[in-house]
Amino acid sequence: MPAGTLYRGREGMWSWVAHRVTGVLVFFFLFVHVLDTALVRVSPEAYDDTIAVYKTPIVALMEYGLMAAVLFHALNGLRVVAVDFWSRGTNYQRQMLWTVVGLWVVLMAGAAYPVLGHAVREVFGS
């Protein structure tokens, strides 16, 4: 192991880090969502302006990132439950992690066009 490596664990440590990071990202999204929804009571014009910004291609990309974070967090959470409550879960935690990653990649690839298609058409005018 190289000197100075912050995380010395293998897949388990990285899944732990990814689970925490995605959880924090989802929390901040929910916080911002509550604030922007509250704008409708304070200033309907500001709310309409905010919603207009949300229809831009860069925000579509951010929505795809949010979907990636929520999906990974959910799938990995199921893996954590299996590791914690299945008596042999720790024996299979690595295989379960790679199953989660594979399923996540497949689902995210399948969601790319439905989520990002309108943004790509807007940017490239197709």
Side-chain angles (χ1 to χ4, degrees):
M1 183 73 49
T5 301
L6 181 60
Y7 296 106
R8 301 196 194 301
R10 296 185 53 169
E11 295 90 350
M13 177 58 79
W14 289 109
S15 68
W16 179 87
V17 170
H19 197 75
R20 284 356 179 239
V21 168
T22 57
V24 169
L25 291 173
V26 171
F27 170 80
F28 281 119
F29 162 77
L30 291 172
F31 181 72
V32 169
H33 180 63
V34 167
L35 290 178
D36 69 15
T37 303
L39 273 177
V40 77
R41 303 273 295 163
V42 177
S43 171
E45 297 80 22
Y47 176 79
D48 291 340
D49 293 342
T50 301
I51 296 303
V53 169
Y54 288 170
K55 295 178 182 179
T56 63
I58 191 73
V59 175
L61 188 61
M62 292 169 65
E63 286 174 345
Y64 187 70
L66 174 65
M67 180 188 300
V70 168
L71 184 61
F72 179 82
H73 193 79
L75 293 173
N76 193 55
L78 293 173
R79 183 188 73 87
V80 168
V81 168
V83 168
D84 286 347
F85 291 107
W86 180 29
S87 62
R88 296 180 50 194
T90 54
N91 297 335
Y92 296 102
Q93 69 88 17
R94 183 172 292 136
Q95 293 90 332
M96 287 190 289
L97 174 62
W98 289 114
T99 301
V100 163
V101 169
L103 186 58
W104 178 79
V105 167
V106 168
L107 291 173
M108 289 308 298
Y113 183 75
V115 174
L116 297 174
H118 67 89
V120 170
R121 287 188 297 277
E122 187 174 322
V123 170
F124 295 108
S126 304

